[in-house]
Amino acid sequence: MLLTSLEHVDAIVLGIDGRSDEATREVAMAYADVTHVFRASDIDMSAEAWEANKIDFAAARNIGRKLVTTPWTLVIDSDEYVESASDIRARVREADRLIGSFSPAIKTHGADYRDAQRLARSSYLWKSATHNQLQRTAGPKDIDMVIVSDTSLRERAEIVRRDAQRQIGIEEMVDAAAKGDLGALFHVAKHKAAGDDVVETVRLVEDYRGRCTPGDILADDRMWLAMALAFKFYEMDDMGEANRWACRALLDGPSVAAFCVLGDVAEDEGHLDRALQWYQAACSMEETGKIKWPGLTELRFGRLAGIKRALVDPTTAPTIAMVSGD
């Protein structure tokens, strides 16, 4: 993580959880320009919560942010690294006051997305302990930069500790969501979408989408949750629900992923003409949403060619469709 960011920044500030081992501190001090160890009192946490391994991500990040002396800050977690980047120093120097942050692409094991919180003005602070968000006052802009998130970079003990912290955070988010916190509701629904409780996932997604207006600032989140259900129902071989949720995703704008799922559903149901139309739509556009499914985007042209061949000669019909979602 540290080595890949060196050429792109002027200083490295590392926050160290006071519960970390000595080896972690030694590595941090060897590479960073500024290190700080935070404990319970530093993030306004009770001794009991600290001993229970809780963490306030926003408060911890804000400590480090106040130690930054540059006008812009790049935030990278310990299980991430910079895969590629343009001259980000030049981009931030040229940024006018209407640009408060830049959105690098984040690559994960599932969907890719852009995160407007990673490269932002240092004056902005974080809020919310678990589903932490950066409070920005000016709009984001995309930047030619790719950050890879790879949890295998963490040691096993660290993964176990972080998973425990995340589970505590999820429980707190459930409470916050029940009290009307829209950000918490999105994260709870997103977490549930990765599990097996489809009924509860649908309830949460319906609740979230019902509180937002199609096409508004939360359109990408509405679309993401709808597509998560479309993928889940497709994997369950429930084509009716997969079709319905992919169509609902389109309420927030055109989507390569939604068109591909609708094409796969049509093909599985034996409607090659309809599948052709959906894949033609998928291949006629670029994925413009915040969150992307690269597997679908990369394979759509091959899938379209296969469907065209099948319409001419049914014996060449594709037999395997790949839907990628997380």
Side-chain angles (χ1 to χ4, degrees), residues 221-234:
D221 292 342
R222 280 173 46 94
M223 181 184 291
W224 194 96
L225 291 176
M227 286 306 305
L229 280 173
F231 289 131
K232 182 175 287 293
F233 280 115
Y234 185 88

Side-chain angles (χ1 to χ4, degrees), residues 4-6 65 81 84 101 134 175 325:
T4 63
S5 62
L6 283 176
R65 213 166 185 85
Y81 61 90
S84 62
S101 65
L134 190 65
D175 292 337

Side-chain angles (χ1 to χ4, degrees), residues 281-301:
C283 294
S284 69
M285 63 171 288
E286 294 183 5
E287 188 70 277
T288 57
K290 181 176 69 176
I291 300 176
K292 302 174 177 60
W293 285 267
L296 293 172
T297 303
E298 294 163 4
L299 293 177
R300 56 188 161 145
F301 296 102

Side-chain angles (χ1 to χ4, degrees), residues 11-265:
I12 294 179
V13 177
L14 285 182
I16 306 168
D17 189 317
R19 295 162 291 195
S20 301
D21 59 27
E22 190 60 32
T24 299
R25 301 184 192 187
E26 291 176 358
V27 171
M29 293 178 69
Y31 285 94
D33 297 283
V34 178
T35 61
H36 64 93
V37 178
F38 61 87
R39 302 187 184 280
S41 59
D42 298 316
I43 55 176
D44 294 325
M45 182 173 287
S46 68
E48 292 77 17
W50 182 262
E51 290 299 321
N53 200 36
K54 291 188 177 183
I55 185 65
D56 185 324
F57 288 107
R61 283 182 170 179
N62 285 337
I63 294 173
R65 213 166 185 85
K66 291 176 181 178
L67 296 174
V68 170
T69 58
T70 54
W72 288 79
T73 301
L74 172 66
V75 175
I76 299 180
D77 287 337
S78 59
D79 58 357
E80 297 177 335
Y81 61 90
V82 178
E83 182 179 73
S84 62
S86 59
D87 187 349
I88 64 175
R89 289 187 180 86
R91 294 296 304 277
V92 299
R93 281 197 300 266
E94 297 165 0
D96 61 39
R97 62 183 180 81
L98 296 179
I99 298 176
S101 65
F102 288 92
S103 304
I106 312 297
K107 291 174 63 174
T108 69
H109 67 284
D112 292 355
Y113 63 98
R114 287 193 174 273
D115 190 345
Q117 305 180 121
R118 298 306 193 94
L119 180 56
R121 296 185 185 274
S122 301
S123 57
Y124 298 163
L125 297 179
W126 298 84
K127 66 174 183 177
S128 184
T130 304
H131 54 290
N132 46 306
Q133 300 292 316
L134 190 65
Q135 294 179 297
R136 303 187 305 273
T137 58
K141 190 175 184 65
D142 287 355
I143 190 170
D144 184 14
M145 182 179 193
V146 178
I147 297 173
V148 177
S149 177
D150 183 357
T151 55
S152 68
L153 296 175
R154 297 183 187 271
E155 293 184 354
R156 180 60 187 168
E158 175 67 5
I159 293 175
V160 171
R161 186 173 72 87
R162 287 293 293 256
D163 285 347
Q165 287 180 331
R166 186 173 291 110
Q167 184 56 44
I168 293 172
I170 289 171
E171 293 169 2
E172 293 176 345
M173 280 195 295
V174 170
D175 292 337
K179 296 175 182 177
D181 186 324
L182 199 57
L185 179 58
F186 171 75
H187 283 80
V188 172
K190 183 178 177 181
H191 173 74
K192 284 291 185 180
D196 298 323
D197 192 343
V198 180
V199 174
E200 178 63 6
T201 302
V202 169
R203 184 190 72 78
L204 291 168
V205 172
E206 293 276 21
D207 188 10
Y208 183 85
R209 288 174 58 85
R211 298 191 197 186
C212 313
T213 303
D216 69 6
I217 194 172
L218 298 175
D220 281 334
D221 292 342
R222 280 173 46 94
M223 181 184 291
W224 194 96
L225 291 176
M227 286 306 305
L229 280 173
F231 289 131
K232 182 175 287 293
F233 280 115
Y234 185 88
E235 291 168 356
M236 295 169 57
D237 204 30
D238 188 335
M239 297 303 159
E241 284 299 295
N243 189 89
R244 186 170 78 90
W245 280 102
C247 287
R248 295 189 71 179
L250 293 176
L251 292 174
D252 291 294
S255 164
V256 168
F259 290 145
C260 288
V261 170
L262 289 167
D264 288 346
V265 169

